[in-house]
Amino acid sequence: SASASASSAAAAVGSAGTRRPFTSINSSTPYQLCFLRHGQSTWNRDNRFIGWTDTPLTEHGVLEARVAGQMLRKSRVLFDEVHTSMLRRSIRTTNLVLMETGQEYIPVHKSWRLNERSYGDLVGMNKKEVVMEHGADQVKRWRRSYDEPPPPMRDDHRYHP
């Protein structure tokens, strides 16, 4: 079997040596990865930096997860296993997708190492306001670079663990 990982949910698709019942651009290996982002959360909706804050899915996010599961079912993809973060928005997305595909029986592996990046002191702040204060280039570097993290979270921060 193959394995996979992502910040929300990833599933290993198909075992080695099996014929794929779905279309794939990967023809050089029998292994497939399926990456799936979690559905919309309350803070996604509100345009706030989330990071490790454990915000739930919105009703729209639940619908997104169910539709993703229905699309995967129609593609006839069969998963070997799923890897997801410890965040409930990702776990619930995983559960909804597996329910829609009829594959609730497969192993689901949860790890904090798949949690989204920590946004430090930016957690809870409105993204547009942060851009206005720090500039679009700086915010993009904080969000996308691996070597320039956001400012660390203060000990007295409202969302400090």
Side-chain angles (χ1 to χ4, degrees):
S1 289
S3 64
S5 64
S7 68
S8 48
V13 180
S15 299
T18 60
R19 181 164 158 71
R20 296 182 187 115
F22 53 90
T23 303
S24 173
I25 60 171
N26 177 13
S27 61
S28 60
T29 176
Y31 302 106
Q32 301 287 313
L33 294 178
C34 174
F35 289 92
L36 179 67
R37 186 178 189 275
H38 60 77
Q40 181 192 60
S41 74
T42 55
W43 282 18
N44 292 139
R45 177 197 61 210
D46 299 341
N47 200 33
R48 295 167 69 178
F49 282 100
I50 305 171
W52 284 26
T53 307
D54 206 8
T55 59
L57 295 178
T58 62
E59 287 183 31
H60 182 72
V62 169
L63 179 61
E64 289 176 326
R66 294 188 69 200
V67 167
Q70 292 164 9
M71 292 171 69
L72 287 165
R73 183 186 68 236
K74 287 178 185 171
S75 75
R76 298 177 26 213
V77 171
L78 296 175
F79 299 112
D80 294 322
E81 61 189 88
V82 174
H83 294 259
T84 189
S85 76
M86 296 295 292
L87 300 170
R88 64 181 167 170
R89 60 187 175 267
S90 299
I91 294 167
R92 186 155 186 219
T93 297
T94 297
N95 292 339
L96 290 164
V97 166
L98 291 177
M99 188 174 67
E100 291 294 334
T101 61
Q103 298 179 60
E104 300 98 327
Y105 56 87
I106 67 170
V108 175
H109 308 281
K110 299 173 189 136
S111 173
W112 67 268
R113 289 176 176 88
L114 298 176
N115 286 5
E116 294 184 25
R117 84 180 308 164
S118 171
Y119 282 106
D121 222 33
L122 304 179
V123 169
M125 297 177 76
N126 180 283
K127 292 176 185 177
K128 287 182 181 179
E129 292 173 6
V130 172
V131 168
M132 288 172 45
E133 183 178 340
H134 298 282
D137 290 339
Q138 178 62 63
V139 172
K140 183 176 182 180
R141 288 194 307 275
W142 283 336
R143 293 186 72 194
R144 302 291 182 235
S145 71
Y146 63 91
D147 60 349
E148 188 175 346
M153 186 178 278
R154 301 178 321 275
D155 288 340
D156 63 346
H157 192 286
R158 179 178 176 189
Y159 297 105
H160 191 282

